[in-house]
Amino acid sequence: MPPTTKIFKEDILFHEFNATETDYNQRGYHLEVALEVNQVRKFAQKAYDHGFYLVFVTGFHVLPEETEEGTTSGLNGVYQFARYDRLYRIKGHVSVPEDMSLPSICDIYQGANWHERETRDLYGVNFDGHPNLKPLLLSDEDQDFHPLLKEEENLKSLKEVSWSAEVPDSAEADEKDASE
Amino acid sequence: MLESDFQERNRFFLNMGPQHPSTHGVLLIVLEMSGEYVLDPQPVLGFVHRMHEKMAESRPCVGFMPNTARMDYVCALPYNHGYVSLIERKAGIEVPKRAEYIRVITSELNRVASHLLWLGAYLLDLGAFTPILYGFDDREHILDILEDITGSRLTYCYYRFGGVSRDIDDKFVASTRAFIKRLRERFVIYEKLVTKNIIFIKRTENIGVVSPDMALRYGMTGPNLRGSGIAYDVRKNEPYSVYPEFDFEIPVGSQGDCLDRYMVRIREMEQSLRIIEQALDRLPEGPVRAKVPKNIKLSPGDCNFAVEAARGELSYYLVGDGTSTPYRLKVRVPSYSNLSCLPELGRGILLPDLVSILGSFDLVIPEMDR
Amino acid sequence: MGTENKSSLIQPDLEAYVEHLKSESCRPIIEDSAGPILRMELSDRILKLCQANSLWPMTFGIACCAIEMMGTGMARFDISRYGSEVFRPSPRQSDLMIVAGTVNKKLAPVLLTLYEQMPSPKWVIALGNCAISGGPFKVKENYNVIEGVDQLIPVDVYVPGCPPRPEGLLEGILKLQEKITGVRHPLPQNRHPGSPLRKVKGLKSK
């Protein structure tokens, strides 16, 4: 009998972050956390303290947009954690600022070492505090190539690739921060 | 262990790979050695980087199916399974029961084939030439069974969105049952030849001990994790398809050394045979493919699906944008996280022990490089 | 020796083969003079027979086709019937390189180093679609895969398939033997049952 998720409400642990519960059958994960850049390490430390393992660290590329802090770079980092003993998956996403750097979580989760190197190879995101940010998958001559960055004409905005955008042409202007 | 002065004078760098009989693919490990002791192993990947994720973004979602088989070619059907289930979860497609049963049977057969190949290759690394011949012979029987319905021997592309592409017939059921009976008799041979062999036990006992905390920090999954005592299997923890209807156990080791990982895989093969038998007994009638639109549009938003491949937990993460082409597809492969613990695990060990550890991890390099 | 012109027709006939050797411009045989001091055709032929029947492949399996190459060496398909029993890990001890899998930019210098480390005479089989032309990875957005290993090294035999069956690789070995010696089964004991026994002519000089 697989353990169910409502035995212990894990989302209480992450109440200090901007976390929303999601429908597992639709999305495949239980909790979605919208992070700021300075919250990434606290989030990873919280996950480690409560026994989550790192599934992956990756990113995706959308149109840069104007916010009150300045223009974003258009890149978003995605972190996913899960548990060994219960079924609970958490996805955290963070918008990479214009200087293209995120804090590294290598000292908390050593497995993130390779995931962050790969994200740097494919997208060009710099991770502060990473001990060895050399190219992992690409050859040395290609290390600044960043193949997964999209061309101008293929970029879409973050709203267009989020769940709230039911019809791609008409995006809601006023949506809640947390519901993506 | 290390007399510093003598060892300092004997420090050198050795390249293990990329062309090496025991690295199971093109993996380069730069070893800083001191005599026969490895001080710091650093794997270098990227020699088989074939841009699968870039290809996923440039073609409709149905065009990515051949790529899923080429990432891990030894055990390709769970990769197919994960991808079609991901698109079915995103688009809300219902799969007929008979198709689910066929998927489970073929995936478990492929898992057994993968473990047999691993067994042969691991023992070849340790210097034994006989088990690989036995293992490949058993594996050829599975390949014959699967070739009749899927059409290929290695890189299967058999599942479709909404089911499978061809129905199975009585010949398949009969030959699978005959094969299960045969393999159970062959397990006795493997037991006598390998498991009770004193040389094998000496090469694998207490070598490469992975503690549960180390496994958590690196995100290890699959038999490598189960050898350390944590009973995590996606088929039980996060059930998908029709796995909840079957009765099977999760074999777990106690110490986390190479011998435990070996025993976990051997017992997993037996559990897979149990699942196949139960599925064949309860196989329902019905269609094998649901009606799906020709051009599946992926609604905007992200979606995740995890399956248990032979090497661990395989996760697909998709970001859709309303068209039929994925906006971003991330494939989280199990061998990637399993190998990343090598710099910590391989510090201060002997070189033959490193070969034994690499073999017990069951790595497939093209899936790591994607 | 292995770099014979791909377009030259190899006749499956020993007589014509000897004629072909005689007509090569690097070995002129002038009819009315005393002739060359040493005539090497016979020893060449014997040497090529020996080489063709004991090709030692190097294990350079990269990706999916490597599993089919391993399967060919195993009990059911048994490549050792054709002489290639020992798969040497070291290039310095082998004379056949079977490139099985996709070569990309990071691997290309490695492949060249291995090819140069092999002593002559050496042959190359490109196994699988990826080694022939890039295979399923020859796409518009390709940034990394080398489209065909013959852009780097000279290839003797191409075996298509994704992955090719082990019988395909065996056919490739037989074709290579035909390329080296001029006949498909250089030794009588390798002929298939039912095929006519061929008279091995030319052992006495004509």
Side-chain angles (χ1 to χ4, degrees), chain C residues 70-160:
Chain C
M70 283 162 72
T72 316
M74 290 298 140
R76 184 185 271 202
F77 296 103
D78 199 15
I79 204 175
S80 71
R81 300 182 269 172
Y82 299 103
S84 309
E85 168 143 25
V86 275
F87 274 75
R88 311 304 300 162
S90 163
R92 299 184 198 274
Q93 300 167 7
S94 57
D95 53 5
L96 170 67
M97 181 197 263
I98 306 182
V99 183
T102 325
V103 179
N104 70 2
K105 277 200 216 165
K106 208 165 176 181
L107 192 61
V110 174
L111 182 81
L112 282 172
T113 310
L114 287 169
Y115 184 72
E116 285 163 11
Q117 282 178 336
M118 281 168 70
S120 271
K122 53 193 171 189
W123 295 276
V124 176
I125 292 185
L127 185 71
N129 289 350
C130 289
I132 297 177
S133 73
F137 303 106
K138 184 174 176 157
V139 289
K140 199 172 63 144
E141 61 269 10
N142 178 17
Y143 58 84
N144 205 8
V145 168
I146 302 225
E147 291 168 3
V149 81
D150 55 2
Q151 298 195 3
L152 301 169
I153 53 179
V155 175
D156 292 296
V157 174
Y158 296 86
V159 182

Side-chain angles (χ1 to χ4, degrees), chain B residues 342-363:
Chain B
L342 192 70
E344 189 177 323
L345 189 63
R347 208 156 275 164
I349 57 171
L350 286 168
L351 186 56
D353 290 345
L354 183 77
V355 172
S356 181
I357 292 175
L358 276 178
S360 75
F361 274 170
D362 194 4
L363 303 167

